[in-house]
Structure formats: C-alpha cells, structure tokens
Amino acid sequence: ILGEEDTKHPRVCWHCHKQEILVVSIGKHVLRIDTTKVGRGEVFSAEAPLQCPLDKLIDGVQIVGKHDGEVTDLSMCQWMTTRLVSSSVDGTVKIWQDRKAQPLVVLRPHDGHPVNSATFVTSPERPDHIILITGGPLNREMKIWVSAGEEGWLLPADTESWRCTQTLDLKSSSEPRAEKA
C-alpha cells in the first residue's frame, strides 16, 4: 500500500469467518482486503510485490476508514462479524460496520491519551454478549466496555453506544513508591 510512507507498525486482522478477508491498518488508514480478488491474473513476488496507491485502489482493496493518527490495533467481533474496532495514537477507538463510510461509534476512552489496544471479547457460552477492552497509556490503564443498550447485548443496529463498566490501573511492584496490588 503506497501513500503512508511514515508508517511504523502496520496491523493485521483476519476475518473470523471468511479467511479470505484480511483487515489491515497502514498508518492512519484501515483497509479491507479480499485476497481472492487482489492481484488476480497478475504475477508478483517478494522482489516485485503488488502495489496499491491509496488514491487509486486496486480491485479487492477498499478503505474502511481512517483515524487522525497512526492505528495501533484492530479486532473483529467474533459473533457479529460486521463489526470491527480500531484504536489509534489520536486517542480514539472507532467501531466500524461493514460497508459504512462513517464509524458507528467513536470513543475517547483514556482522556485523549493514545489508545494502544482495543479488542472484542466473547464468552463461548454467551457469544452474543460482546465486551470491548481498551488499553490506554502503554496499556497500563485497561477499560472494559459493554453495549449501553439491552443490558450489554450487542444487537444489529445503525447506531450504538458503549459504557465503561470497569477500569484497571496496572502498576509495577518494582517501581519506587508503587501501591500494593
């Protein structure tokens, strides 16, 4: 992917149920790649990789959306596979829905500090009860989020809201004056 030369750490997330779909972050952009369509009929290798400029996407590559800063993490919802979450150094977490140009939700979970991680978690016995976990400054502050509607159950909708149910502050016992855990 060309157009994000300042990219330091691309992120990758496979689709939970469609292994041919790959979600990738390049700099500030989140892209969806259908590996069955990308490069069809073209020959490419490590020496001559397939190239795709952001301003002229090739077949099989689409922009999901973007942040104002570099994307730090991606996670796809295992139960509702139309949901994707991305976090960024811009201090936001965005929840995307398949084929929608704007995010469903924009959270600023750690008081504007960079968000280092975001992941959806489900339990095997309650796969439609989705929890979102975000990691703030260097993952030392973790927050647990649930859908604000229907007592935490994530339902198909064009809009949704999330509420934080727990905050965990992680401190090292080797730090001077660290509080006891």
Side-chain angles (χ1 to χ4, degrees), residues 26 33 45 47-49 55 62 69 81 92 105 112 120 122 131 140 154 160 163-164 172-173:
I26 304 289
I33 301 173
S45 66
E47 293 78 32
D55 59 354
Q62 69 182 103
T81 58
T92 64
V105 178
F120 284 121
T122 62
I131 296 170
R140 295 182 72 163
L154 184 59
E160 58 193 46
R163 62 185 170 84
C164 179
S172 170
S173 60

Side-chain angles (χ1 to χ4, degrees), residues 9-158:
H9 305 287
R11 304 292 182 209
V12 177
C13 175
W14 285 104
H15 193 286
C16 301
H17 299 294
K18 298 178 184 174
Q19 292 299 304
E20 69 276 8
I21 303 296
L22 185 64
V23 180
V24 177
S25 70
I26 304 289
K28 300 173 183 181
H29 292 85
V30 178
L31 304 164
R32 184 179 190 270
I33 301 173
D34 184 337
T35 60
T36 63
K37 294 180 181 175
V38 171
R40 188 182 298 169
E42 296 183 41
V43 177
F44 55 97
S45 66
E47 293 78 32
L50 185 69
Q51 295 188 353
C52 176
L54 282 171
D55 59 354
K56 189 180 178 191
L57 297 177
I58 60 175
D59 189 34
V61 179
Q62 69 182 103
I63 294 178
V64 173
K66 73 180 277 192
H67 282 265
D68 292 333
E70 186 172 359
V71 175
T72 55
D73 205 3
L74 297 170
S75 178
M76 181 158 283
C77 185
Q78 296 171 351
W79 175 72
M80 191 176 289
T81 58
T82 59
R83 294 290 196 286
L84 170 75
V85 65
S86 58
S87 59
S88 172
V89 296
D90 67 11
T92 64
V93 168
K94 294 183 179 184
I95 298 175
W96 308 91
Q97 184 173 356
D98 249 1
R99 314 218 189 297
K100 299 248 179 175
Q102 297 298 317
L104 284 176
V105 178
V106 177
L107 301 171
R108 289 175 178 75
H110 301 281
D111 300 324
H113 294 288
V115 183
N116 301 98
S117 59
T119 189
F120 284 121
V121 178
T122 62
S123 67
E125 57 278 349
R126 295 176 75 182
D128 48 356
H129 195 264
I130 311 301
I131 296 170
L132 173 66
I133 299 175
T134 62
L138 300 176
N139 284 332
R140 295 182 72 163
E141 178 181 81
M142 306 299 290
K143 290 192 175 190
I144 299 173
W145 302 80
V146 296
S147 175
E150 299 297 323
E151 298 179 0
W153 297 91
L154 184 59
L155 302 172
D158 286 339

